Amino acid sequence: VDQIEFHPGYTQVDTVTLLPENNITVKAWSPLGNGYMLQYPVLCEIASRYNKSVAQLCLRWVLQNNVVPLPKSLNKERIIQNADVFNFELTSEDMNLITNMETCGFSGYYIDENME
């Protein structure tokens, strides 16, 4: 098992591809990115099409990349919501839109308070 930061905006495609080829399971820490990601316009728009939260969208995207997400929350409602990601599937088009987002939202990433 290798635990890496992995979420929309920080995909580490080479690592996520190479590890399973060597029988190593990838676990995603910070699968929701930083708080910036929960407001990211592309993710908000896609999540609304599925009637899901951006957090649920991110977790589903991680799962569909065959990566084990490790979301963190102390809030009971968010924990329940984070587990409710097995009743929908992202289309290949939406997977590609998310995968090809600009690099953003990773640990240490500067959050632009004027995000449009």
Side-chain angles (χ1 to χ4, degrees):
V1 175
D2 192 359
Q3 188 173 321
I4 64 170
E5 183 172 3
F6 179 77
H7 52 77
Y10 198 63
T11 59
Q12 301 198 61
V13 174
D14 292 339
T15 302
V16 171
T17 302
L18 179 67
L19 292 175
E21 290 174 0
N22 290 282
N23 297 316
I24 299 170
T25 299
V26 181
K27 286 190 176 183
W29 66 268
S30 191
L32 307 179
N34 62 25
Y36 172 84
M37 300 307 295
L38 299 178
Q39 302 170 37
Y40 195 80
V42 171
L43 296 177
C44 291
E45 191 258 311
I46 294 171
S48 70
R49 291 201 303 257
Y50 291 92
N51 198 30
K52 295 292 183 179
S53 70
V54 173
Q56 288 171 310
L57 176 77
C58 291
L59 293 172
R60 185 68 213 176
W61 176 84
V62 169
L63 287 167
Q64 283 185 230
N65 275 290
N66 298 314
V67 173
V68 179
L70 297 172
K72 178 182 109 175
S73 180
L74 298 175
N75 179 290
K76 180 180 176 181
E77 289 76 30
R78 286 192 195 123
I79 293 168
I80 292 168
Q81 185 183 66
N82 287 346
D84 187 24
V85 295
F86 298 100
N87 59 355
F88 74 105
E89 187 171 316
L90 300 173
T91 65
S92 58
E93 178 182 83
D94 288 336
M95 287 293 292
N96 286 332
L97 282 171
I98 297 167
T99 299
N100 293 306
M101 287 174 33
E102 67 180 337
T103 300
C104 60
F106 52 91
S107 60
Y109 179 77
Y110 171 74
I111 298 173
D112 183 358
E113 298 296 331
N114 300 312
M115 179 182 68
E116 296 177 13

Short mmCIF file of all heavy atoms in Angstrom, two decimals, residues 16-71:
data_model
loop_
_atom_site.label_atom_id
_atom_site.label_comp_id
_atom_site.label_asym_id
_atom_site.label_seq_id
_atom_site.Cartn_x
_atom_site.Cartn_y
_atom_site.Cartn_z
N VAL A 16 -0.22 6.69 -9.87
CA VAL A 16 -1.45 5.90 -9.75
C VAL A 16 -1.49 4.79 -10.79
O VAL A 16 -2.10 3.75 -10.57
CB VAL A 16 -2.69 6.83 -9.83
CG1 VAL A 16 -3.98 6.05 -9.94
CG2 VAL A 16 -2.72 7.74 -8.62
N THR A 17 -0.82 4.97 -11.89
CA THR A 17 -0.74 3.93 -12.92
C THR A 17 0.33 2.90 -12.57
O THR A 17 0.11 1.69 -12.69
CB THR A 17 -0.43 4.56 -14.29
OG1 THR A 17 -1.46 5.51 -14.59
CG2 THR A 17 -0.36 3.51 -15.38
N LEU A 18 1.48 3.36 -12.13
CA LEU A 18 2.63 2.49 -11.88
C LEU A 18 2.43 1.57 -10.67
O LEU A 18 2.77 0.39 -10.72
CB LEU A 18 3.90 3.33 -11.68
CG LEU A 18 5.18 2.56 -11.37
CD1 LEU A 18 5.60 1.73 -12.56
CD2 LEU A 18 6.28 3.51 -10.95
N LEU A 19 1.90 2.09 -9.59
CA LEU A 19 1.79 1.30 -8.36
C LEU A 19 0.97 0.02 -8.53
O LEU A 19 1.44 -1.06 -8.17
CB LEU A 19 1.25 2.16 -7.21
CG LEU A 19 2.20 3.26 -6.73
CD1 LEU A 19 1.51 4.12 -5.67
CD2 LEU A 19 3.49 2.68 -6.18
N PRO A 20 -0.25 0.08 -9.08
CA PRO A 20 -1.00 -1.18 -9.25
C PRO A 20 -0.32 -2.17 -10.20
O PRO A 20 -0.46 -3.39 -10.02
CB PRO A 20 -2.34 -0.71 -9.84
CG PRO A 20 -2.47 0.71 -9.39
CD PRO A 20 -1.06 1.24 -9.39
N GLU A 21 0.43 -1.67 -11.16
CA GLU A 21 1.18 -2.57 -12.05
C GLU A 21 2.22 -3.37 -11.27
O GLU A 21 2.68 -4.41 -11.73
CB GLU A 21 1.87 -1.76 -13.16
CG GLU A 21 0.90 -1.18 -14.18
CD GLU A 21 1.58 -0.28 -15.19
OE1 GLU A 21 2.83 -0.09 -15.11
OE2 GLU A 21 0.87 0.25 -16.05
N ASN A 22 2.56 -2.89 -10.09
CA ASN A 22 3.53 -3.55 -9.22
C ASN A 22 2.86 -4.11 -7.96
O ASN A 22 3.50 -4.26 -6.92
CB ASN A 22 4.66 -2.58 -8.86
CG ASN A 22 5.52 -2.29 -10.07
OD1 ASN A 22 6.34 -3.09 -10.45
ND2 ASN A 22 5.29 -1.14 -10.70
N ASN A 23 1.55 -4.39 -8.08
CA ASN A 23 0.76 -4.98 -6.99
C ASN A 23 0.75 -4.13 -5.73
O ASN A 23 0.77 -4.66 -4.61
CB ASN A 23 1.23 -6.40 -6.68
CG ASN A 23 1.01 -7.32 -7.87
OD1 ASN A 23 -0.05 -7.27 -8.49
ND2 ASN A 23 2.00 -8.12 -8.19
N ILE A 24 0.74 -2.82 -5.90
CA ILE A 24 0.69 -1.90 -4.77
C ILE A 24 -0.64 -1.15 -4.84
O ILE A 24 -0.96 -0.53 -5.85
CB ILE A 24 1.87 -0.90 -4.79
CG1 ILE A 24 3.20 -1.67 -4.71
CG2 ILE A 24 1.74 0.11 -3.67
CD1 ILE A 24 4.42 -0.81 -4.96
N THR A 25 -1.41 -1.23 -3.76
CA THR A 25 -2.68 -0.52 -3.68
C THR A 25 -2.42 0.94 -3.37
O THR A 25 -1.58 1.27 -2.53
CB THR A 25 -3.56 -1.13 -2.56
OG1 THR A 25 -3.81 -2.50 -2.88
CG2 THR A 25 -4.87 -0.39 -2.42
N VAL A 26 -3.14 1.81 -4.05
CA VAL A 26 -3.01 3.24 -3.83
C VAL A 26 -4.14 3.70 -2.90
O VAL A 26 -5.32 3.43 -3.17
CB VAL A 26 -3.08 4.03 -5.15
CG1 VAL A 26 -2.92 5.53 -4.89
CG2 VAL A 26 -2.03 3.54 -6.13
N LYS A 27 -3.77 4.37 -1.82
CA LYS A 27 -4.73 4.99 -0.92
C LYS A 27 -4.57 6.50 -1.04
O LYS A 27 -3.45 7.01 -1.03
CB LYS A 27 -4.50 4.56 0.53
CG LYS A 27 -4.94 3.15 0.81
CD LYS A 27 -4.92 2.88 2.29
CE LYS A 27 -5.46 1.50 2.59
NZ LYS A 27 -5.50 1.26 4.04
N ALA A 28 -5.69 7.19 -1.15
CA ALA A 28 -5.67 8.65 -1.31
C ALA A 28 -5.90 9.33 0.02
O ALA A 28 -6.96 9.21 0.61
CB ALA A 28 -6.74 9.08 -2.30
N TRP A 29 -4.89 10.05 0.50
CA TRP A 29 -5.14 10.94 1.62
C TRP A 29 -5.53 12.28 1.01
O TRP A 29 -5.11 12.60 -0.09
CB TRP A 29 -3.98 11.03 2.61
CG TRP A 29 -2.71 11.65 2.13
CD1 TRP A 29 -1.65 10.99 1.59
CD2 TRP A 29 -2.34 13.03 2.15
NE1 TRP A 29 -0.64 11.86 1.29
CE2 TRP A 29 -1.05 13.14 1.63
CE3 TRP A 29 -2.97 14.18 2.58
CZ2 TRP A 29 -0.38 14.34 1.49
CZ3 TRP A 29 -2.31 15.40 2.45
CH2 TRP A 29 -1.02 15.47 1.91
N SER A 30 -6.36 13.00 1.71
CA SER A 30 -6.89 14.27 1.23
C SER A 30 -7.65 14.11 -0.10
O SER A 30 -7.44 14.88 -1.03
CB SER A 30 -5.75 15.29 1.08
OG SER A 30 -6.27 16.58 0.86
N PRO A 31 -8.55 13.10 -0.20
CA PRO A 31 -9.25 12.88 -1.46
C PRO A 31 -10.20 14.01 -1.85
O PRO A 31 -10.68 14.04 -2.98
CB PRO A 31 -10.02 11.57 -1.22
CG PRO A 31 -10.24 11.54 0.25
CD PRO A 31 -9.00 12.18 0.84
N LEU A 32 -10.43 14.93 -0.93
CA LEU A 32 -11.28 16.09 -1.22
C LEU A 32 -10.46 17.34 -1.51
O LEU A 32 -11.00 18.40 -1.78
CB LEU A 32 -12.23 16.36 -0.05
CG LEU A 32 -13.07 15.17 0.40
CD1 LEU A 32 -13.94 15.58 1.58
CD2 LEU A 32 -13.89 14.59 -0.72
N GLY A 33 -9.13 17.20 -1.48
CA GLY A 33 -8.27 18.36 -1.64
C GLY A 33 -8.46 19.31 -0.49
O GLY A 33 -8.97 18.95 0.57
N ASN A 34 -8.05 20.56 -0.67
CA ASN A 34 -8.28 21.54 0.39
C ASN A 34 -9.66 22.16 0.20
O ASN A 34 -10.38 21.82 -0.74
CB ASN A 34 -7.16 22.59 0.41
CG ASN A 34 -7.06 23.39 -0.87
OD1 ASN A 34 -8.02 23.54 -1.61
ND2 ASN A 34 -5.89 23.93 -1.15
N GLY A 35 -10.05 23.04 1.07
CA GLY A 35 -11.38 23.64 1.01
C GLY A 35 -11.70 24.29 -0.33
O GLY A 35 -12.85 24.39 -0.73
N TYR A 36 -10.68 24.73 -1.02
CA TYR A 36 -10.84 25.34 -2.34
C TYR A 36 -11.59 24.42 -3.29
O TYR A 36 -12.43 24.85 -4.06
CB TYR A 36 -9.44 25.67 -2.87
CG TYR A 36 -9.38 26.13 -4.31
CD1 TYR A 36 -9.61 27.46 -4.63
CD2 TYR A 36 -9.06 25.25 -5.33
CE1 TYR A 36 -9.53 27.90 -5.94
CE2 TYR A 36 -8.98 25.67 -6.64
CZ TYR A 36 -9.21 27.00 -6.94
OH TYR A 36 -9.14 27.43 -8.24
N MET A 37 -11.31 23.13 -3.21
CA MET A 37 -11.90 22.18 -4.15
C MET A 37 -13.41 22.09 -3.99
O MET A 37 -14.13 21.85 -4.97
CB MET A 37 -11.28 20.80 -3.98
CG MET A 37 -9.79 20.77 -4.21
SD MET A 37 -9.25 21.49 -5.78
CE MET A 37 -9.99 20.35 -6.93
N LEU A 38 -13.93 22.26 -2.80
CA LEU A 38 -15.36 22.14 -2.57
C LEU A 38 -16.14 23.30 -3.17
O LEU A 38 -17.37 23.25 -3.25
CB LEU A 38 -15.64 22.01 -1.07
CG LEU A 38 -15.01 20.78 -0.41
CD1 LEU A 38 -15.30 20.77 1.08
CD2 LEU A 38 -15.44 19.48 -1.07
N GLN A 39 -15.42 24.34 -3.61
CA GLN A 39 -16.04 25.50 -4.25
C GLN A 39 -15.66 25.60 -5.73
O GLN A 39 -16.07 26.54 -6.40
CB GLN A 39 -15.60 26.77 -3.54
CG GLN A 39 -15.94 26.81 -2.08
CD GLN A 39 -15.25 27.98 -1.41
OE1 GLN A 39 -15.11 29.06 -1.97
NE2 GLN A 39 -14.78 27.76 -0.20
N TYR A 40 -14.87 24.66 -6.20
CA TYR A 40 -14.35 24.73 -7.57
C TYR A 40 -15.51 24.66 -8.57
O TYR A 40 -16.29 23.71 -8.55
CB TYR A 40 -13.35 23.60 -7.80
CG TYR A 40 -12.50 23.79 -9.02
CD1 TYR A 40 -11.40 24.63 -9.00
CD2 TYR A 40 -12.80 23.13 -10.21
CE1 TYR A 40 -10.62 24.81 -10.13
CE2 TYR A 40 -12.02 23.29 -11.34
CZ TYR A 40 -10.94 24.14 -11.30
OH TYR A 40 -10.16 24.33 -12.41
N PRO A 41 -15.66 25.66 -9.45
CA PRO A 41 -16.83 25.75 -10.32
C PRO A 41 -17.11 24.49 -11.16
O PRO A 41 -18.26 24.08 -11.26
CB PRO A 41 -16.52 26.95 -11.21
CG PRO A 41 -15.60 27.80 -10.38
CD PRO A 41 -14.77 26.82 -9.59
N VAL A 42 -16.11 23.92 -11.78
CA VAL A 42 -16.32 22.73 -12.61
C VAL A 42 -16.88 21.59 -11.77
O VAL A 42 -17.83 20.90 -12.16
CB VAL A 42 -15.02 22.29 -13.31
CG1 VAL A 42 -15.17 20.94 -13.99
CG2 VAL A 42 -14.58 23.35 -14.32
N LEU A 43 -16.33 21.39 -10.57
CA LEU A 43 -16.80 20.32 -9.70
C LEU A 43 -18.21 20.60 -9.20
O LEU A 43 -19.04 19.68 -9.13
CB LEU A 43 -15.84 20.14 -8.51
CG LEU A 43 -14.43 19.68 -8.86
CD1 LEU A 43 -13.57 19.60 -7.61
CD2 LEU A 43 -14.44 18.35 -9.60
N CYS A 44 -18.51 21.85 -8.88
CA CYS A 44 -19.87 22.21 -8.44
C CYS A 44 -20.89 21.92 -9.54
O CYS A 44 -21.97 21.38 -9.27
CB CYS A 44 -19.93 23.69 -8.06
SG CYS A 44 -19.02 24.09 -6.55
N GLU A 45 -20.54 22.26 -10.76
CA GLU A 45 -21.47 22.05 -11.88
C GLU A 45 -21.69 20.56 -12.13
O GLU A 45 -22.83 20.12 -12.31
CB GLU A 45 -20.91 22.74 -13.13
CG GLU A 45 -21.88 22.82 -14.28
CD GLU A 45 -21.59 21.78 -15.34
OE1 GLU A 45 -20.44 21.65 -15.75
OE2 GLU A 45 -22.54 21.08 -15.73
N ILE A 46 -20.63 19.77 -12.13
CA ILE A 46 -20.77 18.34 -12.36
C ILE A 46 -21.56 17.70 -11.20
O ILE A 46 -22.46 16.88 -11.44
CB ILE A 46 -19.39 17.66 -12.53
CG1 ILE A 46 -18.72 18.17 -13.81
CG2 ILE A 46 -19.54 16.13 -12.58
CD1 ILE A 46 -17.27 17.73 -13.96
N ALA A 47 -21.24 18.05 -9.97
CA ALA A 47 -21.94 17.48 -8.81
C ALA A 47 -23.43 17.76 -8.88
O ALA A 47 -24.25 16.88 -8.56
CB ALA A 47 -21.34 18.03 -7.52
N SER A 48 -23.81 18.95 -9.31
CA SER A 48 -25.24 19.30 -9.38
C SER A 48 -25.98 18.42 -10.38
O SER A 48 -27.15 18.10 -10.18
CB SER A 48 -25.42 20.78 -9.71
OG SER A 48 -25.05 21.06 -11.05
N ARG A 49 -25.31 18.00 -11.45
CA ARG A 49 -25.94 17.11 -12.44
C ARG A 49 -26.29 15.75 -11.85
O ARG A 49 -27.22 15.09 -12.30
CB ARG A 49 -25.04 16.92 -13.66
CG ARG A 49 -24.89 18.17 -14.49
CD ARG A 49 -24.44 17.86 -15.90
NE ARG A 49 -23.20 17.14 -15.99
CZ ARG A 49 -22.03 17.67 -16.31
NH1 ARG A 49 -21.94 18.96 -16.55
NH2 ARG A 49 -20.95 16.94 -16.40
N TYR A 50 -25.53 15.32 -10.85
CA TYR A 50 -25.77 14.03 -10.20
C TYR A 50 -26.58 14.18 -8.91
O TYR A 50 -26.86 13.19 -8.24
CB TYR A 50 -24.43 13.35 -9.88
CG TYR A 50 -23.68 12.91 -11.12
CD1 TYR A 50 -22.76 13.75 -11.73
CD2 TYR A 50 -23.89 11.65 -11.67
CE1 TYR A 50 -22.07 13.36 -12.86
CE2 TYR A 50 -23.21 11.25 -12.80
CZ TYR A 50 -22.30 12.11 -13.40
OH TYR A 50 -21.61 11.71 -14.53
N ASN A 51 -26.93 15.42 -8.57
CA ASN A 51 -27.62 15.71 -7.31
C ASN A 51 -26.81 15.19 -6.13
O ASN A 51 -27.35 14.58 -5.20
CB ASN A 51 -29.03 15.14 -7.31
CG ASN A 51 -29.90 15.77 -6.26
OD1 ASN A 51 -29.72 16.94 -5.91
ND2 ASN A 51 -30.84 15.01 -5.73
N LYS A 52 -25.50 15.45 -6.16
CA LYS A 52 -24.57 15.02 -5.12
C LYS A 52 -23.76 16.23 -4.68
O LYS A 52 -23.69 17.25 -5.38
CB LYS A 52 -23.62 13.93 -5.64
CG LYS A 52 -24.30 12.64 -6.01
CD LYS A 52 -24.84 11.95 -4.78
CE LYS A 52 -25.48 10.61 -5.09
NZ LYS A 52 -25.98 9.95 -3.89
N SER A 53 -23.10 16.10 -3.54
CA SER A 53 -22.21 17.17 -3.08
C SER A 53 -20.88 17.06 -3.83
O SER A 53 -20.57 16.02 -4.42
CB SER A 53 -21.96 17.03 -1.58
OG SER A 53 -21.16 15.89 -1.32
N VAL A 54 -20.12 18.12 -3.80
CA VAL A 54 -18.79 18.09 -4.42
C VAL A 54 -17.92 17.04 -3.72
O VAL A 54 -17.16 16.32 -4.38
CB VAL A 54 -18.13 19.48 -4.40
CG1 VAL A 54 -16.68 19.40 -4.88
CG2 VAL A 54 -18.92 20.45 -5.26
N ALA A 55 -18.05 16.91 -2.41
CA ALA A 55 -17.28 15.89 -1.69
C ALA A 55 -17.63 14.50 -2.21
O ALA A 55 -16.74 13.69 -2.47
CB ALA A 55 -17.56 15.99 -0.19
N GLN A 56 -18.91 14.22 -2.39
CA GLN A 56 -19.31 12.91 -2.92
C GLN A 56 -18.77 12.71 -4.34
O GLN A 56 -18.32 11.62 -4.69
CB GLN A 56 -20.83 12.78 -2.91
CG GLN A 56 -21.41 12.62 -1.53
CD GLN A 56 -22.91 12.70 -1.52
OE1 GLN A 56 -23.49 13.63 -2.09
NE2 GLN A 56 -23.54 11.73 -0.88
N LEU A 57 -18.81 13.75 -5.13
CA LEU A 57 -18.28 13.68 -6.49
C LEU A 57 -16.80 13.33 -6.48
O LEU A 57 -16.34 12.44 -7.20
CB LEU A 57 -18.50 15.01 -7.21
CG LEU A 57 -17.91 15.11 -8.61
CD1 LEU A 57 -18.80 14.38 -9.61
CD2 LEU A 57 -17.76 16.57 -9.00
N CYS A 58 -16.03 14.02 -5.62
CA CYS A 58 -14.59 13.76 -5.54
C CYS A 58 -14.31 12.33 -5.10
O CYS A 58 -13.45 11.65 -5.66
CB CYS A 58 -13.93 14.74 -4.55
SG CYS A 58 -13.88 16.45 -5.11
N LEU A 59 -15.05 11.86 -4.09
CA LEU A 59 -14.84 10.49 -3.60
C LEU A 59 -15.19 9.47 -4.67
O LEU A 59 -14.48 8.47 -4.84
CB LEU A 59 -15.65 10.26 -2.34
CG LEU A 59 -15.20 11.07 -1.13
CD1 LEU A 59 -16.19 10.92 0.02
CD2 LEU A 59 -13.79 10.68 -0.69
N ARG A 60 -16.27 9.72 -5.41
CA ARG A 60 -16.66 8.79 -6.49
C ARG A 60 -15.58 8.76 -7.57
O ARG A 60 -15.23 7.70 -8.10
CB ARG A 60 -18.02 9.19 -7.06
CG ARG A 60 -18.55 8.22 -8.08
CD ARG A 60 -18.89 6.91 -7.42
NE ARG A 60 -18.63 5.84 -8.38
CZ ARG A 60 -18.76 4.56 -8.11
NH1 ARG A 60 -19.15 4.16 -6.92
NH2 ARG A 60 -18.50 3.68 -9.02
N TRP A 61 -15.05 9.93 -7.90
CA TRP A 61 -13.99 10.02 -8.92
C TRP A 61 -12.77 9.22 -8.46
O TRP A 61 -12.16 8.49 -9.24
CB TRP A 61 -13.65 11.48 -9.18
CG TRP A 61 -12.51 11.68 -10.12
CD1 TRP A 61 -12.55 11.69 -11.49
CD2 TRP A 61 -11.14 11.88 -9.77
NE1 TRP A 61 -11.29 11.89 -11.99
CE2 TRP A 61 -10.40 12.01 -10.95
CE3 TRP A 61 -10.47 11.96 -8.55
CZ2 TRP A 61 -9.04 12.21 -10.97
CZ3 TRP A 61 -9.10 12.16 -8.56
CH2 TRP A 61 -8.40 12.29 -9.76
N VAL A 62 -12.39 9.36 -7.19
CA VAL A 62 -11.25 8.61 -6.65
C VAL A 62 -11.52 7.11 -6.78
O VAL A 62 -10.66 6.35 -7.26
CB VAL A 62 -10.97 9.00 -5.18
CG1 VAL A 62 -9.98 8.05 -4.53
CG2 VAL A 62 -10.46 10.43 -5.10
N LEU A 63 -12.70 6.67 -6.37
CA LEU A 63 -13.04 5.24 -6.45
C LEU A 63 -12.99 4.72 -7.89
O LEU A 63 -12.49 3.63 -8.14
CB LEU A 63 -14.43 5.00 -5.86
CG LEU A 63 -14.53 5.09 -4.35
CD1 LEU A 63 -16.00 5.16 -3.92
CD2 LEU A 63 -13.84 3.89 -3.71
N GLN A 64 -13.51 5.52 -8.82
CA GLN A 64 -13.52 5.08 -10.22
C GLN A 64 -12.12 5.09 -10.83
O GLN A 64 -11.91 4.53 -11.91
CB GLN A 64 -14.50 5.93 -11.04
CG GLN A 64 -15.93 5.50 -10.80
CD GLN A 64 -16.93 6.22 -11.66
OE1 GLN A 64 -17.92 6.72 -11.14
NE2 GLN A 64 -16.71 6.30 -12.96
N ASN A 65 -11.16 5.67 -10.14
CA ASN A 65 -9.76 5.58 -10.55
C ASN A 65 -9.06 4.41 -9.86
O ASN A 65 -7.84 4.31 -9.90
CB ASN A 65 -9.03 6.89 -10.23
CG ASN A 65 -9.20 7.90 -11.33
OD1 ASN A 65 -8.66 7.75 -12.41
ND2 ASN A 65 -9.99 8.93 -11.07
N ASN A 66 -9.85 3.55 -9.20
CA ASN A 66 -9.33 2.37 -8.49
C ASN A 66 -8.36 2.74 -7.37
O ASN A 66 -7.38 2.03 -7.13
CB ASN A 66 -8.70 1.38 -9.47
CG ASN A 66 -9.71 0.87 -10.46
OD1 ASN A 66 -10.81 0.49 -10.09
ND2 ASN A 66 -9.36 0.87 -11.73
N VAL A 67 -8.65 3.85 -6.72
CA VAL A 67 -7.86 4.31 -5.59
C VAL A 67 -8.77 4.29 -4.37
O VAL A 67 -9.96 4.60 -4.46
CB VAL A 67 -7.31 5.73 -5.86
CG1 VAL A 67 -6.62 6.30 -4.63
CG2 VAL A 67 -6.36 5.71 -7.06
N VAL A 68 -8.23 3.92 -3.23
CA VAL A 68 -8.99 3.86 -1.98
C VAL A 68 -8.97 5.23 -1.33
O VAL A 68 -7.90 5.72 -0.94
CB VAL A 68 -8.39 2.80 -1.03
CG1 VAL A 68 -9.17 2.76 0.28
CG2 VAL A 68 -8.34 1.43 -1.69
N PRO A 69 -10.14 5.89 -1.19
CA PRO A 69 -10.15 7.21 -0.55
C PRO A 69 -10.13 7.12 0.97
O PRO A 69 -10.72 6.21 1.55
CB PRO A 69 -11.48 7.82 -1.04
CG PRO A 69 -12.36 6.63 -1.26
CD PRO A 69 -11.45 5.50 -1.68
N LEU A 70 -9.45 8.06 1.60
CA LEU A 70 -9.41 8.15 3.06
C LEU A 70 -9.89 9.54 3.48
O LEU A 70 -9.10 10.38 3.90
CB LEU A 70 -7.99 7.92 3.57
CG LEU A 70 -7.38 6.55 3.31
CD1 LEU A 70 -5.91 6.53 3.71
CD2 LEU A 70 -8.15 5.48 4.06
N PRO A 71 -11.21 9.81 3.34
CA PRO A 71 -11.69 11.13 3.75
C PRO A 71 -11.69 11.26 5.27
O PRO A 71 -11.79 10.26 5.98
CB PRO A 71 -13.13 11.15 3.21
CG PRO A 71 -13.54 9.73 3.17
CD PRO A 71 -12.28 8.94 2.86
#
